[in-house]
Amino acid sequence: MDQLSELVEELTTSGQGELNQEKMKEIKKLCKVSNDCIDHVYHSVISQLNQDHSEIRFSAFQIASELFSRSHHFRTLLVDNFQEFLELTVETDLDQPLPPPKEVAKKLKSLAIKTVHSWQTSYGSAYKKLALGYHFLKQVKKVDFQDAEARTVAERRREEERRSRLERIYKEKADAATKDMEDSCKEIEATLTEMESCMKLLFPEFELTNVKEDVPRSSSPNLQLANISDPQPCCSKDLVNGPNQEELVEKQATNEEHNRELGKELQNPDNTGKNEDDDEDEDDEDQESSEEDQPPNEDFIRSSGLISHSYSLDLNLSSGLHVKENEDNEAVVATVRDLHRLITTKHLPAVQGWIQVLTKAGAEQRLLRKALDLKKSLEAALQKHEELHIDYKTRVRKVMKASSDGDEDDDDDFDEVPEKEGYEPHIPEHLRAEYGTFSISYKYFTFCYSSSSEPSTSQSTSSDEKAKDAPVVPFGLDIYYWGQDQPTAGKIIKSASQHQFWVPVEMEEEVENKEMAAESRSRYISFPGRFTPVSHFCRAPLGNGKLCQRQDRVKCPFHGRIIPRDQDGKPCKAEDRQREEQEEMRRRQEQPDWRDPELMRDIEAATGQDLGSDRVGKKGKGKKKKFPNLSDLKQNANTSRSRLEKKVFNKSSMRRVAEVMIKADRRKHDKFSNQFNYALH
Amino acid sequence: MLGFLSSRRAGLDDPLRLRRAESTRRVLSLQLNPDRDVDRIHGNGINTIDIDVVEGRYMLSGGADGVIVIYDLENFTGKTQYTCKAICTVGRSNRHVHKFSVETVQWYPYDTGMFVSSSFDKTMKIWDTETLKPAEIFEFETNVYSHHLSPIARKHSLIAGLISTRSLMCANWHKDNVFISVLSADSKVKVWDVRRATGSLFTLDQHNGDKSKASTEAANTAHNGRANGLCFTGDGLYLLTTGTDDRMRLWNSASGENTLVNYGKVCNESRKRLQFCVSKGCSPEFVFVPCGSSVAVYTLHTGEMVTMLRGHYNNVDCCEFHPDYQELYSGGKDCNILAWVPVLRPPDEEEEEADTKQKASDSSTNQLGGNA
């Protein structure tokens, strides 16, 4: 008997989705002995079904269903108590929902419904209550036995409602997105065209697609251009004539040796800035020479720059397109950057949002396609921008300098800071320092003066150096009355009553308040001190051989006051060392050496006797979990919120707070109880 | 059994003794039987059932959706398996159907040609069974919780209709007399004489007038909660009441005295009338009380619980005892009417254990006879 209940408990607390077949076999074997055994198993299964843990219930249900198909006696027992059985497994009573964990509960319910269905088909006619239970589930609880998820009608309806609500929300969102799209579509397109034209300005032949089309057209069939897709060499001429020739930095690793003749033609644009004149000359020469040399293939030469068809031209066009910013193209680059920012921060996220909404809502194909097109073109524009490798650095630095000098107005500064688009300027160290002092000096400046002393303004005017150090303080009353002697300051004038016959007690009409007088010529500036980050570590030796890496200012919560330690974590000072040794001794005494769990385990392993090593070392760390295989229900509750709740709502703290509040109340009451307004509250 | 038969044959025993003994045995062996089914017609909870007194053949049931069904209980097929067929139905499609839940149905005591139903649609209807049309409709200002036809009234056919406001739950006619007892929601039970309208005869008091035990409010109350069930015993000598304080009490119907029988906790969550019944012709008599999702069986005078009949999957609202066959019919919120049928004695047992059984039953019947 004991063995049976043990087996059942082991099976149910395994936490597995499947039963252990061997144990199950053993149970069946034991059950064959007599009906009493079956009774016993039945009762232990029912008691396990009553546990508030779905995993236990799930396993217990599996045992029950195994035995149900084997034993008539078990069937009669179970069917006699079928109401409770259904309550515990199918959740027929809404006041007793299935216990957590949720997923297992769901699994249990669907399995139970399936099983009841199969039982009904095989045993329904013989066991009346089984049939009744089945009909109850079917007709009253409206369980659909075909439904895979085994939901009741209410659940299904709820699900449907939820879906329709979601749909409605999506539809609204989609409508809003459509409207939004229509509104800003033009804007986006305008942005795109602007970007396009800016890029064209920066790099006229950057339009790769056009070039690709051009080249094959111009080339005759026997032309052996090894690298047709590289249009760069053809551009050189245009580049020279182009408006922004200087900013084009082309890295052309060109040329095999044999086209050295063409060397003058394929300019390395790095030089272009220096010898513009030369270029022009060469251009002229080129044209002349080409006209002279190859009259029949004029077109070819003009477009390709090759003199002979037999040349094979190998061009390794690296990714290194570079556009450098300078005075000439500053405006264009600025525009490009603005546009880039506009696209990345506004348009692209918006378009992505639309696409998300539209796909979720299952909106019209047309709209979706439009959104996708927009996204594609935006991304293409960004890609192009990327390829240009525009060098913003000079400009950015200029902006930084300007702001640090204080020339630039705040707006620009404000624009600069929140952007984090990858090319956010790196603030150099010295500038950063400058920034820091700038703000700090503004905030934490202590400043006081006495009216008798000479006004500091005169001092500051006397020397420029001092003026630099002079602090900036916000305008206040003290400055307003700077150096003036105010006769009325700090005087409270009480007007005499104007009443006809109601005359107050005689009193001074003028009261002088020293504090107020002082207030008008002094200023309180709080100086909380400067935050200095902690640079030292606790460095107490840890159990794993490392040193404690906590950086507390004064005291480590684990190792106490932070003291200077050497490399091994030993205290440098003798007294500290002594203290620590004493503590260690005390700890040893509390738990004798031989109780060391590891040592004990070793001894146990050697001798095979239980010395109780499991119990040692677990002290204070809570009880050992009874069934380690089951998922822990309490663990879910261990959230920051619950921990806080434990702290905040525990009795002693509540009492403490209540006491303080009562005290505060009482104080108020003592003070104001004679005034009805306060007395009431 | 055999001993009873032989002594009956020899004329040693009163014929009643055999009958009592056998019917008691049958009541004690009531069980949910796969051989007996009742057609599932109701799509909603069943509030009330009634078996006709004349033939004991037809059963009325009233559902929470206003539907009334008449079943044939008699098994003429010759097989043990029998499903009680619904002969006719006052369904939702019927023009005269009750709009709301039917609270009570009752056959006319002398004929199955007529029955009376009362409902939450503020009407009480008297139906012609043949045509299923109401012969008379009484309309009231408030919900009708219950009504009862006088079982002996040949001449006047008075109906104790509970034209009740919310407070009155249940009324029953006494078997031989002209008394009615009325339950009210404020936990009082009063006994009236129909011939005197000026005031009630007496009010049942759970403490029998012992003032020391009762708090001031509890004086003259039958229950501490609301009283919602009322039933006379078959001989009319006793009156049973149930209340929401989970108690059942047995009163002497002549004096109104609490007999102080302790039935223990009789679970009672119903907010409406609870229809329960007392067996007839057994010794001792048994009470069948719906109790949650099962029907509890108590002995009437000792208050001992005999068994719990578990079979419903939801609350049981009503039960009715068939006096001729010792069968019990119960209806509940799970739309089922269940028939509890005595188990036949298994044939193989008789030869082996006949002697011991006989002795046992002999001794028990002797006691019973002494009681009777």
Side-chain angles (χ1 to χ4, degrees), chain A residues 494-544:
Chain A
K494 293 177 181 167
S495 56
S497 173
Q498 305 281 312
H499 205 272
Q500 287 178 348
F501 49 81
W502 182 283
V503 180
V505 189
E506 281 297 313
M507 60 172 179
E508 259 184 285
E509 296 224 324
E510 245 185 47
V511 183
E512 190 163 346
N513 191 334
K514 288 257 169 64
E515 271 180 42
M516 275 182 57
E519 227 166 72
S520 67
R521 36 180 89 167
S522 64
R523 171 181 290 245
Y524 292 113
I525 297 167
S526 56
F527 180 68
R530 211 164 288 169
F531 175 76
T532 48
V534 179
S535 58
H536 55 262
F537 296 94
C538 169
R539 291 171 60 77
L542 293 177
N544 57 2

Coordinates of all heavy atoms in Angstrom, one line a residue, chain A residues 494-544:
Chain A
K494 N 1.8 98.3 8.9 CA 0.5 97.8 9.2 C -0.5 99.0 9.1 O -0.3 99.9 9.9 CB 0.4 97.1 10.5 CG 1.2 95.8 10.6 CD 1.1 95.2 11.9 CE 2.0 93.9 12.0 NZ 2.2 93.5 13.3
S495 N -1.4 98.8 8.3 CA -2.4 100.0 8.1 C -3.4 99.9 9.3 O -3.8 98.9 9.7 CB -3.1 99.9 6.8 OG -3.7 98.7 6.7
A496 N -3.7 101.1 9.7 CA -4.7 101.2 10.8 C -6.1 100.8 10.2 O -6.3 100.9 9.0 CB -4.8 102.6 11.4
S497 N -6.9 100.3 11.1 CA -8.2 99.9 10.7 C -9.0 101.1 10.1 O -9.0 102.1 10.7 CB -8.9 99.2 11.8 OG -10.2 98.9 11.4
Q498 N -9.7 100.8 9.1 CA -10.6 101.8 8.5 C -12.0 101.8 9.0 O -12.9 102.5 8.6 CB -10.6 101.7 7.0 CG -9.2 101.6 6.3 CD -8.6 103.0 6.2 OE1 -9.3 103.9 5.7 NE2 -7.4 103.2 6.6
H499 N -12.2 100.9 9.9 CA -13.6 100.6 10.3 C -14.1 101.8 11.1 O -13.4 102.5 11.8 CB -13.6 99.3 11.1 CG -14.9 98.7 11.1 ND1 -15.9 99.0 12.0 CD2 -15.5 97.7 10.3 CE1 -17.0 98.3 11.7 NE2 -16.7 97.5 10.7
Q500 N -15.5 101.9 11.1 CA -16.1 103.1 11.7 C -15.9 103.0 13.2 O -15.4 104.0 13.8 CB -17.6 103.1 11.4 CG -17.9 103.5 10.0 CD -19.3 103.4 9.7 OE1 -20.1 102.9 10.5 NE2 -19.7 104.0 8.6
F501 N -16.2 101.9 13.8 CA -16.2 101.9 15.3 C -15.3 100.7 15.8 O -15.0 100.6 16.9 CB -17.6 101.8 15.9 CG -18.4 100.7 15.3 CD1 -18.3 99.4 15.7 CD2 -19.3 101.0 14.3 CE1 -19.1 98.5 15.1 CE2 -20.1 100.1 13.7 CZ -20.0 98.8 14.2
W502 N -15.0 99.8 14.9 CA -14.2 98.6 15.4 C -12.7 99.0 15.3 O -12.1 99.1 14.2 CB -14.5 97.5 14.4 CG -13.8 96.2 14.8 CD1 -12.5 95.9 14.6 CD2 -14.4 95.1 15.4 NE1 -12.2 94.7 15.0 CE2 -13.4 94.2 15.6 CE3 -15.7 94.8 15.9 CZ2 -13.6 92.9 16.2 CZ3 -15.9 93.6 16.5 CH2 -14.8 92.7 16.6
V503 N -12.1 99.2 16.4 CA -10.7 99.7 16.4 C -9.9 98.6 17.1 O -10.2 98.1 18.2 CB -10.6 101.0 17.2 CG1 -9.2 101.5 17.2 CG2 -11.5 102.1 16.6
P504 N -8.9 98.2 16.4 CA -8.0 97.2 17.0 C -7.1 97.8 18.1 O -7.1 99.0 18.3 CB -7.1 96.8 15.8 CG -7.1 97.9 14.9 CD -8.4 98.6 15.0
V505 N -6.5 96.9 18.8 CA -5.7 97.3 19.9 C -4.5 98.2 19.3 O -4.1 98.0 18.2 CB -5.0 96.1 20.6 CG1 -4.3 96.4 21.9 CG2 -6.1 95.0 20.8
E506 N -4.1 99.1 20.1 CA -3.1 100.0 19.7 C -1.8 99.2 19.4 O -1.5 98.2 20.1 CB -2.7 100.9 20.9 CG -3.7 102.1 21.0 CD -3.7 103.0 19.8 OE1 -2.6 103.4 19.4 OE2 -4.8 103.4 19.3
M507 N -1.2 99.5 18.3 CA 0.0 98.8 18.0 C 0.9 99.7 17.1 O 0.5 100.7 16.6 CB -0.3 97.5 17.2 CG -1.1 97.8 15.9 SD -1.2 96.3 15.0 CE -2.1 96.9 13.6
E508 N 2.1 99.2 17.0 CA 3.0 100.0 16.2 C 2.7 99.9 14.7 O 2.3 98.8 14.2 CB 4.4 99.4 16.4 CG 5.3 100.2 17.3 CD 6.7 99.6 17.3 OE1 6.8 98.5 18.0 OE2 7.6 100.1 16.7
E509 N 2.7 100.9 14.1 CA 2.3 100.9 12.6 C 3.5 100.4 11.8 O 3.2 99.8 10.7 CB 1.9 102.3 12.2 CG 0.6 102.7 12.9 CD -0.4 103.3 12.0 OE1 0.1 104.0 11.0 OE2 -1.6 103.1 12.2
E510 N 4.7 100.6 12.3 CA 5.8 100.2 11.5 C 6.6 99.2 12.3 O 7.0 99.5 13.4 CB 6.7 101.4 11.1 CG 6.7 101.7 9.7 CD 7.7 102.8 9.4 OE1 8.8 102.8 9.9 OE2 7.3 103.7 8.6
V511 N 6.9 98.1 11.7 CA 7.7 97.1 12.3 C 8.9 96.8 11.5 O 8.8 96.7 10.2 CB 6.9 95.8 12.5 CG1 7.8 94.8 13.3 CG2 5.6 96.0 13.2
E512 N 10.0 96.8 12.1 CA 11.2 96.5 11.3 C 11.6 95.1 11.4 O 11.7 94.6 12.5 CB 12.3 97.4 11.7 CG 13.5 97.3 10.7 CD 14.4 98.5 10.8 OE1 14.1 99.5 11.5 OE2 15.5 98.4 10.3
N513 N 11.7 94.4 10.3 CA 12.1 93.0 10.3 C 13.5 92.9 9.8 O 13.8 93.1 8.6 CB 11.1 92.3 9.4 CG 11.3 90.8 9.6 OD1 12.4 90.3 10.0 ND2 10.2 90.1 9.3
K514 N 14.4 92.5 10.7 CA 15.8 92.5 10.3 C 16.1 91.5 9.2 O 16.9 91.7 8.3 CB 16.6 92.1 11.6 CG 16.7 93.2 12.6 CD 18.1 93.8 12.5 CE 18.2 95.1 13.4 NZ 18.0 94.9 14.8
E515 N 15.4 90.4 9.3 CA 15.6 89.3 8.4 C 15.3 89.7 7.0 O 16.1 89.5 6.0 CB 14.7 88.1 8.7 CG 15.4 87.1 9.7 CD 14.5 86.0 10.0 OE1 13.8 85.5 9.1 OE2 14.4 85.6 11.2
M516 N 14.2 90.4 6.9 CA 13.8 90.8 5.6 C 14.7 91.9 5.0 O 15.0 91.9 3.8 CB 12.4 91.4 5.6 CG 11.4 90.2 5.4 SD 9.7 90.7 5.4 CE 9.6 91.8 4.0
A517 N 15.2 92.7 5.9 CA 16.1 93.7 5.5 C 17.4 93.1 4.9 O 17.9 93.5 3.9 CB 16.5 94.7 6.6
A518 N 17.8 92.0 5.6 CA 19.0 91.4 5.2 C 18.8 90.6 3.9 O 19.7 90.5 3.0 CB 19.5 90.4 6.3
E519 N 17.6 90.2 3.7 CA 17.3 89.4 2.5 C 17.4 90.2 1.3 O 17.8 89.7 0.2 CB 15.8 88.9 2.6 CG 15.7 87.4 2.3 CD 14.4 86.9 2.8 OE1 13.4 87.3 2.1 OE2 14.3 86.1 3.8
S520 N 17.1 91.5 1.4 CA 17.2 92.3 0.1 C 18.6 92.6 -0.3 O 18.8 93.1 -1.4 CB 16.4 93.6 0.3 OG 17.1 94.3 1.3
R521 N 19.6 92.3 0.6 CA 20.9 92.5 0.1 C 21.8 91.3 0.2 O 23.0 91.4 0.2 CB 21.5 93.7 0.9 CG 21.1 93.8 2.3 CD 21.7 95.0 3.0 NE 20.9 96.2 2.9 CZ 21.1 97.3 3.6 NH1 22.2 97.3 4.4 NH2 20.4 98.3 3.5
S522 N 21.2 90.2 0.4 CA 22.1 89.0 0.4 C 21.5 88.0 -0.6 O 20.3 88.1 -1.0 CB 22.2 88.4 1.8 OG 20.9 88.0 2.2
R523 N 22.2 86.9 -0.8 CA 21.8 85.9 -1.7 C 22.2 84.6 -1.2 O 23.3 84.4 -0.8 CB 22.4 86.2 -3.1 CG 22.2 85.1 -4.1 CD 22.8 85.4 -5.4 NE 22.1 86.5 -6.0 CZ 21.5 86.4 -7.2 NH1 21.5 85.3 -7.8 NH2 20.9 87.5 -7.7
Y524 N 21.3 83.7 -1.2 CA 21.6 82.3 -0.8 C 21.9 81.5 -2.0 O 21.1 81.4 -3.0 CB 20.4 81.7 -0.1 CG 20.1 82.3 1.2 CD1 19.0 83.0 1.5 CD2 21.1 82.2 2.3 CE1 18.7 83.6 2.7 CE2 20.8 82.8 3.5 CZ 19.6 83.5 3.7 OH 19.4 84.0 4.9
I525 N 23.0 80.9 -2.1 CA 23.3 80.0 -3.2 C 23.8 78.7 -2.6 O 24.7 78.6 -1.8 CB 24.5 80.6 -4.0 CG1 24.0 81.9 -4.7 CG2 24.9 79.6 -5.1 CD1 25.1 82.7 -5.3
S526 N 23.1 77.7 -3.0 CA 23.4 76.4 -2.4 C 24.5 75.8 -3.1 O 24.6 75.8 -4.3 CB 22.2 75.5 -2.5 OG 21.7 75.4 -3.8
F527 N 25.4 75.2 -2.4 CA 26.5 74.5 -3.0 C 26.6 73.1 -2.4 O 27.1 72.9 -1.3 CB 27.8 75.3 -2.7 CG 29.0 74.7 -3.3 CD1 29.2 74.7 -4.7 CD2 30.0 74.1 -2.5 CE1 30.3 74.1 -5.2 CE2 31.1 73.5 -3.1 CZ 31.2 73.5 -4.5
P528 N 26.1 72.2 -3.1 CA 26.1 70.8 -2.6 C 27.4 70.1 -2.8 O 27.5 69.0 -2.4 CB 25.0 70.2 -3.5 CG 25.0 70.9 -4.7 CD 25.4 72.3 -4.4
G529 N 28.4 70.7 -3.3 CA 29.6 70.1 -3.6 C 29.7 69.4 -4.9 O 28.7 69.3 -5.6
R530 N 30.8 68.9 -5.3 CA 30.9 68.3 -6.6 C 30.9 66.8 -6.5 O 31.5 66.2 -5.5 CB 32.2 68.8 -7.2 CG 32.1 68.9 -8.7 CD 33.2 69.7 -9.3 NE 33.0 71.1 -9.0 CZ 34.0 72.0 -9.2 NH1 35.2 71.7 -9.6 NH2 33.8 73.3 -8.9
F531 N 30.3 66.1 -7.4 CA 30.3 64.7 -7.4 C 31.6 64.1 -7.8 O 32.0 64.4 -9.0 CB 29.1 64.1 -8.2 CG 29.1 62.6 -8.3 CD1 28.6 61.9 -7.2 CD2 29.6 62.0 -9.4 CE1 28.6 60.5 -7.3 CE2 29.6 60.6 -9.5 CZ 29.1 59.9 -8.4
T532 N 32.2 63.3 -7.0 CA 33.4 62.7 -7.5 C 33.2 61.2 -7.5 O 32.8 60.6 -6.5 CB 34.6 62.9 -6.5 OG1 34.1 62.7 -5.2 CG2 35.1 64.3 -6.6
P533 N 33.3 60.6 -8.6 CA 33.0 59.1 -8.7 C 34.0 58.3 -7.9 O 35.2 58.7 -7.8 CB 33.2 58.8 -10.2 CG 33.9 60.0 -10.8 CD 33.7 61.1 -9.9
V534 N 33.5 57.2 -7.4 CA 34.3 56.4 -6.5 C 35.3 55.6 -7.4 O 35.0 55.0 -8.5 CB 33.5 55.3 -5.8 CG1 34.3 54.5 -4.9 CG2 32.5 56.1 -4.9
S535 N 36.6 55.7 -7.1 CA 37.6 55.0 -7.9 C 38.1 53.8 -7.3 O 38.8 53.0 -7.9 CB 38.7 56.0 -8.3 OG 39.3 56.4 -7.1
H536 N 37.8 53.5 -6.0 CA 38.4 52.4 -5.4 C 37.5 51.2 -5.4 O 36.3 51.4 -5.5 CB 38.8 52.7 -3.9 CG 37.7 53.3 -3.1 ND1 37.5 54.6 -2.9 CD2 36.7 52.7 -2.5 CE1 36.5 54.8 -2.2 NE2 35.9 53.7 -1.9
F537 N 38.0 50.0 -5.1 CA 37.2 48.8 -5.1 C 37.2 48.3 -3.7 O 38.1 48.6 -2.9 CB 37.7 47.7 -6.0 CG 37.6 48.1 -7.5 CD1 38.7 48.7 -8.1 CD2 36.4 47.9 -8.2 CE1 38.6 49.1 -9.4 CE2 36.4 48.3 -9.5 CZ 37.4 48.9 -10.1
C538 N 36.3 47.5 -3.3 CA 36.2 46.9 -2.0 C 37.4 45.9 -1.9 O 38.2 46.0 -0.9 CB 34.9 46.1 -1.8 SG 34.9 45.1 -0.3
R539 N 37.6 45.0 -2.8 CA 38.8 44.1 -2.9 C 38.9 43.2 -1.8 O 40.0 42.7 -1.5 CB 40.1 45.0 -3.0 CG 40.2 45.7 -4.4 CD 41.3 46.6 -4.4 NE 42.6 46.0 -4.1 CZ 43.2 45.3 -5.1 NH1 42.7 45.2 -6.3 NH2 44.4 44.7 -4.8
A540 N 37.8 42.9 -1.1 CA 37.8 41.8 -0.1 C 37.9 40.5 -0.9 O 37.3 40.4 -1.9 CB 36.6 41.9 0.8
P541 N 38.6 39.5 -0.4 CA 38.7 38.2 -1.1 C 37.4 37.5 -1.0 O 36.7 37.5 0.0 CB 39.8 37.5 -0.3 CG 39.8 38.1 1.1 CD 39.5 39.6 0.9
L542 N 37.0 37.0 -2.2 CA 35.7 36.3 -2.3 C 36.0 34.8 -2.3 O 37.2 34.3 -2.3 CB 35.0 36.6 -3.6 CG 34.5 38.1 -3.7 CD1 33.9 38.3 -5.1 CD2 33.5 38.3 -2.7
G543 N 35.0 34.0 -2.2 CA 35.1 32.6 -2.1 C 35.7 32.0 -3.3 O 36.4 31.0 -3.2
N544 N 35.4 32.6 -4.5 CA 35.9 32.0 -5.7 C 37.3 32.4 -6.1 O 37.8 32.2 -7.2 CB 34.9 32.3 -6.8 CG 34.7 33.7 -7.0 OD1 35.4 34.6 -6.3 ND2 33.9 34.1 -7.9

